[in-house]
Amino acid sequence: MRKSIDGLAALVEQEMDLSPAQEVLFVFCNRGRDKIKLLYWERNGFVVWYKRLEKQRFCWLRLPDAGDRRGDQRATGHHPGQDPGDTECPQEVRLQGL
């Protein structure tokens, strides 16, 4: 989680092949799932939001392809056909309203 705004924007462009200036919220999580950064473009510049949990972990689903190292850096959401309410995250924090 050492990347700043420029590093996160470059990751979006180079690894995800997307424009970081589009109206999308990009969510990045560390391997320990206790830190997240959100990157988005607002009118005339980037905004980064950072959160670190002290005792809990974020609920974070991985990409089906375990060989893709970028899976730890991408917000993957839920698998197709899966109800988001079906995912249980005991002792973990689920992001609401994103």
Side-chain angles (χ1 to χ4, degrees):
M1 294 303 284
R2 295 181 183 193
K3 292 190 185 313
S4 63
I5 290 174
D6 293 334
L8 294 173
L11 184 66
V12 169
E13 285 181 325
Q14 296 168 5
E15 298 293 324
M16 299 179 189
D17 200 26
L18 297 170
S19 169
Q22 58 186 325
E23 293 184 16
V24 174
L25 177 67
F26 297 98
V27 182
F28 303 86
C29 187
N30 69 333
R31 290 181 195 269
R33 294 185 296 135
D34 63 339
K35 299 176 187 90
I36 62 169
K37 286 186 181 179
L38 285 69
L39 174 72
Y40 61 95
W41 179 263
E42 185 178 73
R43 284 183 258 156
N44 58 355
F46 286 107
V47 177
V48 171
W49 184 82
Y50 176 79
K51 178 147 182 148
R52 181 186 75 196
L53 298 176
E54 294 297 324
K55 296 182 181 180
Q56 296 175 312
R57 299 169 75 181
F58 291 102
C59 182
W60 196 264
L61 298 176
R62 294 185 180 268
L63 291 170
D65 179 9
D68 185 359
R69 289 186 45 91
R70 294 176 294 171
D72 290 336
Q73 299 169 336
R74 283 195 225 171
T76 60
H78 296 278
H79 296 287
Q82 179 184 12
D83 179 2
D86 289 346
T87 302
E88 292 187 28
C89 298
Q91 300 298 315
E92 298 181 356
V93 175
R94 297 185 73 191
L95 294 176
Q96 300 290 326
L98 291 180

